Amino acid sequence: MARTIQSLERAAAMLRLLAGGERRLGLSEIASSLDLAKGTAHGILRTLQREGFVEQDTASGRYQLGAELLRLGNSYLDVHELRARALVWADDLARSSGESVYLGVLHQQGVLIVHHVFRPDDSRQVLEVGAMQPLHSTALGKVLSAYDPVARAEAAEARREAFTPRTVTGLDAFEKVLDLTRARGWGADVEETWEGVASVAAPIHDRRRMPVGAVGVTGAVERVCAAGELRAELVAAVRDCARAVSRDLGASRF
């Protein structure tokens, strides 16, 4: 059995203790409840406070949960609500397009795949939920970078690797791609990340009109494109799917 890290276990127990009370707790109460020396408890509290997970009332010196936990919790809920709202629409898109459908969100300078619907045929496919895709070359990544300032900054600051001869790596050229993505409302990747593969994606917004993710289809170039361009009906289907999920999330304009 793998060994656990005692300090992390104590920090987790401390957060649970603070979450379970209806009032702020003092150092002595926390140390006593967790059977810790005051010095040990104080050191953990100071670390949690520095990271924003715990706050200390200046008047009483007592501790309570911090705003960073709320931010992380909201992020968790946002992703799960996004996925829940997108399930039916993503299935419909896969059925109508005949291609794989991906739902992605910004995570650690990349695109985290939070939902994947297989292409509706009998081919062997690998579930890619939890996989990471680059921001600068994929359709999902371009959409997130075009609509989310945080994603744009991360894509601009990161090393933009040339996966194929078609990959856009220069910053000026990349900014022009984002301008085009915003202008037409969807992003494209035609053999920029993988040879022989093309994708189209569109942004999903929430009730605050904030971009919370992107949905797209991916498939072989010969199926997704026609005469060298992405199939218009496929682009329309992806945009319709993104609008439907946005409406379910409470967005009235997007």
Side-chain angles (χ1 to χ4, degrees):
M1 182 176 177
R3 294 178 60 188
T4 58
I5 301 175
Q6 187 181 55
S7 58
L8 292 180
E9 289 181 330
R10 289 172 170 175
M14 200 168 286
L15 292 173
R16 292 191 186 98
L17 178 65
L18 290 171
E22 297 181 357
R23 56 188 176 87
R24 300 183 181 96
L25 296 177
L27 174 61
S28 296
E29 294 171 290
I30 294 171
S32 175
S33 297
L34 299 178
D35 196 23
L36 296 174
K38 279 188 179 181
T40 301
H42 188 233
I44 296 172
L45 284 167
R46 283 175 57 192
T47 302
L48 292 172
Q49 184 179 0
R50 188 168 59 246
E51 296 299 324
F53 297 133
V54 164
E55 295 175 355
Q56 186 179 27
D57 181 67
T58 54
S60 66
R62 292 175 174 268
Y63 295 89
Q64 63 183 17
L65 294 180
E68 182 65 12
L69 280 175
L70 177 62
R71 187 189 69 81
L72 292 177
N74 283 341
S75 175
Y76 174 85
L77 292 174
D78 285 347
V79 168
H80 281 262
E81 182 182 7
L82 170 63
R83 185 178 182 277
R85 298 288 186 180
L87 290 178
V88 173
W89 299 110
D91 284 346
D92 287 346
L93 179 58
R95 213 164 20 244
S96 64
S97 67
E99 302 294 346
S100 299
V101 174
Y102 294 88
L103 185 69
V105 298
L106 175 66
H107 181 68
Q108 295 181 350
Q109 295 187 326
V111 183
L112 173 66
I113 303 302
V114 296
H115 186 53
H116 173 200
V117 184
F118 283 163
R119 184 172 62 254
D121 60 21
D122 295 327
S123 63
R124 184 175 180 179
Q125 299 172 64
V126 177
L127 186 66
E128 295 187 43
V129 172
M132 294 291 293
Q133 294 185 3
L135 283 170
H136 70 285
S137 63
T138 61
L140 292 171
K142 292 175 188 177
V143 165
L144 292 173
S145 300
Y147 288 89
D148 186 338
V150 175
R152 177 193 167 280
E154 293 189 350
E157 294 169 3
R159 187 175 75 88
R160 291 173 296 282
E161 182 179 349
F163 299 109
T164 77
R166 291 175 174 262
T167 309
V168 174
T169 58
L171 183 56
D172 289 343
F174 180 64
E175 292 288 359
K176 290 179 181 178
V177 169
L178 299 188
D179 289 341
L180 177 61
T181 300
R182 282 188 293 269
R184 61 189 182 184
W186 52 275
D189 166 12
V190 180
E191 296 189 282
E192 294 179 54
T193 310
W194 302 281
E195 297 278 3
V197 177
S199 304
V200 58
I204 296 172
H205 296 83
D206 66 6
R207 62 185 63 86
R208 300 162 295 181
R209 297 172 60 187
M210 297 293 292
V212 293
V215 63
V217 299
T218 298
V221 170
E222 59 268 23
R223 297 195 306 268
V224 176
C225 298
E229 299 289 337
L230 286 158
R231 288 166 41 205
E233 66 272 21
L234 196 57
V235 173
V238 170
R239 297 190 72 187
D240 286 345
C241 177
R243 291 190 186 104
V245 178
S246 298
R247 280 195 297 269
D248 279 1
L249 289 171
S252 56
R253 294 177 58 192
F254 36 83

